[in-house]
Amino acid sequence: MTLLELVDVTASYGPVQVIDGVSLSVPEGGSVGILGANGAGKTTTLRAISGTVRTGGRITFEGRDIRGLRPDQVAALGIAHVPEGRGTLGQLSVRENLMVGAYLRKGRKAIADDVDYCLELFPQLRDRVGSRAAALSGGEQQMLAVGRAFMAKPKLLLLDEASLGLAPSTAKTVYDAIRRLRRESGIAMLVVEQNANLAFSLVDTATVLETGRNVLTGTSAELKGMDEIRRAYLGG
Ligand SMILES: Nc1ncnc2c1ncn2[C@@H]1O[C@H](COP(=O)(O)OP(=O)(O)O)[C@@H](O)[C@H]1O
Ligand SMILES: [Mg+2]
């Protein structure tokens, strides 16, 4: 079953339209990538879904039209956004950040169990659970951002450049944990990545954006085999 579907979605900042007809779909429990150069419209596509930019076209979630909903309404339907730049709350502790993620949930025991799960998924955070988020390394902040989104118990996770600015080994650690999260939770994922090798390690299918439009869509295996993808995104 299709969980999320975008059909000919456009988005503008003021008078300037920056995405120009993006279509994609994410099946229930599936993982879909969005690839593309800087400025292609990847972040804006995620913002169109989470309701932080003005959009046209059709966006449905579980068959329901969600285009034009407020960000809090979109979140309440089960869509959690890990934004570019992470968006953790620097003055709050790691534990408090995780609790903020769970603010719409009830059930203390389940919430406490999920905090434990986050700390198991990201053991680096366990020793830092009382530290302010601002004191964490970039990698730890990314882990916290993913953990906070998980705490909302979403059906769909929007993940924007989780590897940005991280050392390769740290980026791999983050992606290994996200892969495990996907396997164990069944949460569907829409993954924006400039590092195509990392993206292909997590997604089943992907679409390539160029100047606000899809130019290619295929399975990870198909895309990895294409010369133009190898040249542009895989360093060879
Ligand atoms: N807040 C904004 N106001 C105006 N233009 C923006 C804003 N954010 C992004 N853009 C422009 O929209 C285009 C797409 O940006 P973005 O979605 O961030 O691309 P990507 O995530 O693929 O790098 C770019 O040309 C960018 O300059
Ligand atoms: Mg971006």
Side-chain angles (χ1 to χ4, degrees):
M1 249 248 311
T2 301
L3 182 64
L4 174 79
E5 183 155 47
L6 274 60
V7 181
D8 276 332
V9 170
T10 61
S12 343
Y13 296 105
V16 185
Q17 184 170 311
V18 301
I19 67 172
D20 192 24
V22 171
S23 299
L24 59 84
S25 72
V26 182
E28 258 173 35
S31 177
V32 174
I34 303 178
L35 306 176
N38 238 332
K42 304 180 299 297
T43 293
T44 304
T45 300
L46 296 190
R47 295 186 64 190
I49 298 162
S50 62
T52 54
V53 65
R54 198 159 50 82
T55 52
R58 194 154 64 83
I59 306 178
T60 56
F61 184 68
E62 299 187 303
R64 170 184 169 180
D65 182 6
I66 62 163
R67 189 175 67 82
L69 294 186
R70 292 191 315 264
D72 60 308
Q73 294 172 316
V74 174
L77 293 174
I79 299 178
H81 192 159
V82 181
E84 202 173 43
R86 289 137 203 170
T88 53
L89 302 165
Q91 299 309 308
L92 299 186
S93 71
V94 166
R95 184 182 294 283
E96 287 164 342
N97 268 277
L98 293 175
M99 295 308 290
V100 167
Y103 80 107
L104 287 172
R105 294 174 57 189
K106 296 192 172 59
R108 275 174 191 232
K109 171 75 169 74
I111 292 172
D113 286 348
D114 285 341
V115 169
D116 286 344
Y117 180 75
C118 283
L119 299 179
E120 191 193 317
L121 200 59
F122 298 117
Q124 294 87 337
L125 295 180
R126 191 178 287 282
D127 301 333
R128 318 286 321 257
V129 77
S131 308
R132 283 186 310 135
L136 302 179
S137 70
E140 290 164 345
Q141 286 188 23
Q142 188 65 61
M143 294 170 193
L144 180 57
V146 172
R148 187 176 72 170
F150 164 75
M151 288 303 297
K153 275 276 146 126
K155 295 171 186 153
L156 173 68
L157 198 64
L158 308 176
L159 197 62
D160 199 348
E161 306 247 18
S163 71
L164 198 71
L166 304 184
S169 63
T170 308
K172 181 176 180 304
T173 303
V174 170
Y175 269 80
D176 286 347
I178 296 170
R179 241 187 342 271
R180 177 179 162 197
L181 175 63
R182 184 189 170 202
R183 197 171 58 238
E184 293 179 349
S185 69
I187 297 172
M189 300 187 175
L190 183 58
V191 180
V192 165
E193 234 335 311
Q194 282 201 47
N195 181 328
N197 280 314
L198 286 176
F200 289 139
S201 77
L202 177 62
V203 304
D204 309 322
T205 64
T207 189
V208 180
L209 298 191
E210 255 176 51
T211 55
R213 290 169 180 268
N214 309 79
V215 292
L216 264 179
T217 297
T219 65
S220 292
E222 285 165 353
L223 292 170
K224 263 196 269 192
M226 289 181 185
D227 285 345
E228 59 266 45
I229 298 288
R230 279 214 295 274
R231 274 197 302 273
Y233 303 109
L234 296 172

